[in-house]
Amino acid sequence: MRVRTIVTNTGFNLIAMVVNSLIAMVITPYLIVQLGEALFGVWALAAIIIVVAQMSDFGLGRALVRNVAQHRSLGRWSAISLDFNSDLWPLALVILFVSALAWALAPLLAAALGVPESLMTEAVPVLRLLCLTFLPVAAGLLLAATLEGAQQMGYTSAALILNRLIFVGGVVWAMRMGWGLQGVAAAQLAAVVAQTLFLALAAFRITPTLRVSPGLIAPQRLRHDLRFGRYIFLTGLVSLIFTASNKIILAHWVGLESVAFYELASVVALQLFAIALAAAQALYPAYATAHVQGGWPAVQRLYRGALRVFTLTIAPLGAVIIALAAPLVMAWFGRFEAEPVQAMRWLVAGWLVVSMAASASVGLQAIGRPGLAALFSIYNAALNLALALLLVPRWGFQGVLAANVLAITSSALFTLWAFRRLSGLSVREWWRGLSPDVLFWVGGLALGLGWLATRLTDPSLLQIVALVALYACGYVAGLVALRLLRPEESAWLREFWDRKALRLGLSS
């Protein structure tokens, strides 16, 4: 696979996730202020349904990416329609049944999530609206998988951006019209439908041989994809248990206000992981293709490069968020709140470790070992649930944070170790890819940034942006002055700037 293709797809994924992250970090505090902590806590609980919707393909989407990537590498484009239809039609029937059942059981579901009786009239319609997203999300996941396997991630990235823009526009409109939580849920439904329609148009344009017909169902292909996808689905199910258990425990034992603050911190922390996962997903078909065409040496090269890129990009981003947690909360709420600040620092630190393991987790799936990724996810959720049940009655909100950090970091370390062993990468090569010299520079610079942040008594978003810019300049200058960039990276940057200067000269 050409390096340019991987870099391009990574760039598209990162652009989409950066836009999504910026929107999430703006819209979440906006909703807390507009709805209040209690109603936002209800939305945080209802958002569990959104996570369920993202699992509605039962892992078939990831199996389809792998299949399409392999068909593409072997020139078997006509086989894509058989795989797509074999997954689509049975899935649609199951999703319709599940959606109808969830609609009917919405009141019981709201009570189980921990919604108090006084807010049931708000919660039940919201849950029912979100149940309507299951079918378009499932179809969208399969369409996105087709495009990803064909290495056309620009379209999937554009679809995600379209989704988020429609959602944020709908949320602002709903707040102005006084539609409350139901307006937020309606915005989510509209965004999902628009995203799926866009993906459908893109898929038929990029793969003109694609046909949609129940007559193209091949049961043996569905069974094959389910055998692979069951591990992906299991991993997603375990992640759902991890996410839902934290919110439900807080709702039942601490209160909806803590749920709101935990959701805010989780949204910020998970954006870090989302960006890492976007880059890792661009490597997914690359890993699968490399494993078929180049064997383990090709997989090792990809993995070493991924570790290096993640250290250079994800680590400084996480360090900035940790250092500026207090000023961010003060700028959002106009006051200092200890719980979200504490939660943001600890959860971002934990998810930073998980982000560094994203390429390893995706690699396990791509080389045909999804069971290991599922096993580590089970360990993660089980340990988190056990620790939360043990610690929350004693420590309250801090108990959930401790349980989260211990569970996710240890699971991430196991994932890194497993993929290193399977790929045959030595400890020395793995450590070199992780780039400890860059990590030390990132951490030291973040300590200085945190010291400067404590000097702000009434921080504004403009001041925070100035601190981020200062950190970015210092980080880049340190990479050059301390010679932390490798010779091939410096040569690539010089070539990039020379090409850019040449283009500018020609255009002028």
Side-chain angles (χ1 to χ4, degrees), residues 342-394:
Q342 185 182 38
M344 197 179 302
R345 286 172 175 166
W346 282 104
L347 292 182
V348 169
W351 283 104
L352 178 58
V353 179
V354 178
S355 298
M356 299 301 292
S359 64
S361 180
V362 168
L364 289 174
Q365 298 173 8
I367 65 174
R369 295 296 185 92
L372 283 176
L375 177 63
F376 296 143
S377 296
I378 292 172
Y379 160 83
N380 178 16
L383 180 61
N384 175 75
L385 181 58
L387 290 175
L389 291 173
L390 177 66
L391 298 178
V392 169
R394 300 179 182 181

Side-chain angles (χ1 to χ4, degrees), residues 482-500:
L482 299 175
R483 296 183 179 179
L484 299 178
L485 291 176
R486 294 172 182 170
E488 62 271 18
E489 294 166 348
S490 299
W492 183 86
L493 286 174
R494 284 195 297 270
E495 182 182 359
F496 174 80
W497 287 114
D498 289 344
R499 287 181 179 178
K500 185 175 181 181

Side-chain angles (χ1 to χ4, degrees), residues 229-419:
R230 62 186 175 183
Y231 295 110
I232 310 299
F233 176 72
L234 179 60
T235 302
L237 181 62
V238 172
S239 298
L240 171 64
I241 294 172
F242 177 89
T243 302
S245 62
N246 292 315
K247 296 180 183 180
I248 293 171
I249 287 172
L250 283 173
H252 282 281
W253 290 353
V254 182
L256 287 179
E257 182 175 314
S258 291
V259 175
F261 289 148
Y262 175 82
E263 179 73 1
L264 173 63
S266 295
V267 165
V268 175
L270 286 173
Q271 300 319 305
L272 185 70
F273 175 66
I275 293 173
L277 187 60
Q281 285 177 339
L283 286 171
Y284 182 86
Y287 274 133
T289 303
H291 193 227
V292 171
Q293 295 181 343
W296 290 113
V299 173
Q300 290 175 7
R301 287 193 297 272
L302 283 173
Y303 185 38
R304 286 198 306 268
L307 285 173
R308 174 71 174 174
V309 170
F310 279 30
T311 298
L312 288 170
T313 56
I314 302 299
L317 181 57
V320 165
I321 297 174
I322 294 172
L324 298 180
L328 278 170
V329 170
M330 293 174 67
W332 282 333
F333 297 109
R335 66 185 188 278
F336 179 80
E337 289 282 354
E339 281 191 344
V341 171
Q342 185 182 38
M344 197 179 302
R345 286 172 175 166
W346 282 104
L347 292 182
V348 169
W351 283 104
L352 178 58
V353 179
V354 178
S355 298
M356 299 301 292
S359 64
S361 180
V362 168
L364 289 174
Q365 298 173 8
I367 65 174
R369 295 296 185 92
L372 283 176
L375 177 63
F376 296 143
S377 296
I378 292 172
Y379 160 83
N380 178 16
L383 180 61
N384 175 75
L385 181 58
L387 290 175
L389 291 173
L390 177 66
L391 298 178
V392 169
R394 300 179 182 181
W395 296 351
F397 188 70
Q398 288 73 22
V400 167
L401 299 183
N404 275 209
V405 173
L406 288 172
I408 63 179
T409 53
S410 58
S411 176
L413 293 175
F414 283 138
T415 303
L416 287 166
W417 172 82
F419 191 63

Side-chain angles (χ1 to χ4, degrees), residues 100 192-193 224 266 327 339 342 423 431 473 490:
V192 165
V193 171
H224 177 272
S266 295
E339 281 191 344
Q342 185 182 38
S423 65
W431 185 246
C473 293
S490 299

Side-chain angles (χ1 to χ4, degrees), residues 78-103:
S78 59
I80 295 176
S81 288
L82 284 176
D83 284 323
F84 183 83
N85 285 278
S86 298
D87 294 341
L88 174 65
W89 294 101
L91 181 64
L93 292 176
V94 173
I95 292 301
L96 286 173
F97 173 77
V98 171
S99 299
L101 184 63
W103 178 285

